[in-house]
Amino acid sequence: MTTDVVVIGSGPCGAIAAHELIEAGLDVTLLEAGRRAPGGVLLRVGGNTVFRWVSEPMRTDRHTAGGDPSTTWYSSLSLGGLSNYWTAAVPRMHPRDFDDGAALDERFRWPVTYDDLAPAYTHVERLMGVTAGEPIDGVPRGEVRFHRALPPDWRELGAAMGSHGFPVGAVPMATGSPTMAARRPTGWNSYHCIVKPLLARPGLHLLTGARALRIEHDATAGAARSVEYLDEATGEVRRIPCRAVVVAAGALDTTRLLLQSRSSDFPDGLGNAHGLVGRYLHDHPREWWPATFDRPLRLLAHPAYIARPAYGDLDPLMACSHTIGMVGATTRIKAWAHGRSTRAGVQVFGTMVPQEDHTVTLERFADPVAEAMAPLQLVTSYDDQARRNMLAARRRFVEAFAAAGV
């Protein structure tokens, strides 16, 4: 088999890449290590998720942890990848996110800008059918298909918080149609919503149970020219010649594949001439906790979002955001009936300053299959600054509601 482009991974990035390449008239082979999509059921009525079920959990058995021994990598070798599990929150990054880290070190400036990505944001949001409310200060406005406003009492709170510098609104989410019954675990899923419809097109070839082992680099052409993969159904190692490769296997599996792709030109891994592949492992510190208010508020069927503080008010790369939703699955029906509660669930995402000694490495084997199956070695931890930032997020949450009288 020969193809124009090999796309590795059927998660959101790989699925969108395959879609665009097919639209451009190219022949695409999509390699997916998983053999199927997890089973699931989703029921949404009037914008409320009444029932959601997924048949199998994410995996946590594909790594060893150095640094902080509690480091856990959640992954899914499945059609659609982590879009089978995600919360579907898709707020755009702010233009300042791309150069915020440069105040610490020029190495932390992104090689692309917001303006570079803005057309892609718009195009992909149209494919995803984003649900959102009114614009949120500090969050660039995206393409919205389904409008969802916060309940009246939350809009009043949001106005009061906003006047004190705490921007609040309905978080942009790719949750699908407001009313739907689907045999999948999430409203927007990259396999069901992008890849599966493409299977009727003659240009797409989907290979499942196909674990990429190595990207073969053509030194004369200065480009990737084939992909070697394991056909797990037969145990055979196969090779696909191609004109180009899109590596979209997720942050850690993509790193693994580049490190496995050694050659005379790249003895330490493809693109790793400077030893940077697998360094500066970065995570978004996350906490979830329940909040208790002094009076009942409408249950949030669609989560509220408190955006990060203004740039310049914090140290570089030390921001956080809050997503506010419900506590427990049993409240879904109550939310549909416009019920109230004094409790909410809060998810906080922060950030951390990249560290060179936070690494992804793999044990080398002469056998490429054994190397691909071996656990990745992850060395990372949260330093005191990252922990203080998460504690500050708790205080900021209290301050935001206090500013609104709650």
Side-chain angles (χ1 to χ4, degrees):
M1 176 191 291
T2 300
T3 190
D4 290 324
V5 184
V6 173
V7 176
I8 301 170
S10 65
C13 294
I16 295 292
H19 179 276
E20 297 305 291
L21 292 165
I22 292 293
E23 289 293 311
L26 297 175
D27 189 83
V28 176
T29 298
L30 180 57
L31 289 186
E32 171 53 60
R35 299 190 183 188
R36 65 185 187 280
V41 175
L42 180 73
L43 177 62
R44 289 172 54 78
V45 179
N48 298 277
T49 300
V50 177
F51 180 78
R52 177 175 177 259
W53 171 76
V54 60
S55 64
E56 55 194 72
M58 292 179 283
R59 294 182 59 172
T60 58
D61 60 346
R62 303 179 57 225
H63 72 289
T64 59
D68 184 341
S70 67
T71 300
T72 305
W73 171 29
Y74 293 92
S75 67
S76 176
L77 298 180
S78 63
L79 292 167
L82 292 182
S83 71
N84 291 294
Y85 304 91
W86 72 326
T87 61
V90 289
R92 290 192 182 194
M93 295 182 70
H94 189 277
R96 285 291 308 277
D97 287 328
F98 295 82
D99 61 10
D100 189 41
L104 294 175
D105 194 301
E106 191 62 29
R107 292 174 297 168
F108 302 151
R109 183 189 302 275
W110 284 44
V112 295
T113 68
Y114 177 85
D115 289 341
D116 294 329
L117 294 184
Y121 266 131
T122 299
H123 181 57
V124 173
E125 286 163 348
R126 287 171 180 165
L127 290 175
M128 299 176 89
V130 174
T131 300
E134 296 303 315
I136 305 171
D137 287 345
V139 179
R141 177 71 166 172
E143 290 288 316
V144 177
R145 182 181 303 173
F146 305 109
H147 189 270
R148 186 66 186 267
L150 293 178
D153 55 350
W154 281 92
R155 291 202 297 272
E156 292 177 8
L157 290 174
M161 292 181 194
S163 66
H164 287 83
F166 301 99
V168 180
V171 62
M173 300 184 75
T175 50
S177 173
T179 299
M180 65 187 300
R183 296 180 61 183
R184 59 177 184 263
T186 51
W188 191 91
N189 174 288
S190 60
Y191 171 68
H192 288 281
C193 299
I194 297 293
V195 175
K196 198 172 181 180
L198 288 176
L199 295 177
R201 303 276 289 271
L204 180 66
H205 315 280
L206 173 63
L207 301 181
T208 61
R211 189 184 293 255
L213 302 176
R214 190 163 65 98
I215 299 169
E216 297 176 319
H217 180 259
D218 183 336
T220 302
R225 281 295 176 255
S226 62
V227 176
E228 194 175 75
Y229 72 95
L230 172 67
D231 182 338
E232 294 190 346
T234 65
E236 296 180 70
V237 174
R238 302 181 185 275
R239 178 175 171 273
I240 304 177
C242 58
R243 293 165 50 195
V245 180
V246 175
V247 189
L252 297 186
D253 277 316
T254 288
T255 301
R256 176 204 290 274
L257 181 57
L258 295 176
L259 292 173
Q260 289 172 187
S261 300
R262 297 185 293 273
S263 65
S264 58
D265 296 301
F266 294 103
D268 297 315
L270 184 59
N272 198 25
H274 300 286
L276 292 176
V277 176
R279 291 194 180 274
Y280 296 99
L281 174 59
H282 190 276
D283 188 25
H284 285 282
R286 183 186 71 90
E287 285 190 331
W288 184 95
W289 30 263
T292 303
F293 306 120
D294 65 357
R295 68 173 186 262
L297 299 171
R298 271 275 298 275
L299 285 162
L300 289 164
H302 187 101
Y305 186 70
I306 304 179
R308 57 154 290 154
Y311 293 86
D313 289 353
L314 300 172
D315 292 336
L317 300 182
M318 281 295 113
C320 61
S321 66
H322 304 75
T323 302
I324 310 166
M326 294 181 288
V327 179
T330 57
T331 58
R332 293 188 188 277
I333 299 296
K334 190 176 179 182
W336 184 28
H338 298 169
R340 294 175 176 272
S341 176
T342 57
R343 303 187 77 220
V346 183
Q347 183 162 260
V348 182
F349 274 101
T351 188
M352 59 192 288
V353 175
Q355 303 291 333
E356 187 175 7
D357 58 356
H358 290 183
T359 57
V360 181
T361 56
L362 53 83
E363 187 175 355
R364 288 195 174 189
F365 291 86
D367 178 7
V369 175
E371 188 168 88
M373 298 295 185
L376 278 180
Q377 300 156 18
L378 308 181
V379 176
T380 190
S381 62
Y382 297 136
D383 60 17
D384 289 343
Q385 186 181 30
R387 293 175 183 274
R388 286 195 301 270
N389 186 46
M390 298 303 282
L391 291 173
R394 302 180 192 182
R395 295 192 296 272
R396 183 169 185 261
F397 182 86
V398 172
E399 292 167 1
F401 279 85
V406 177

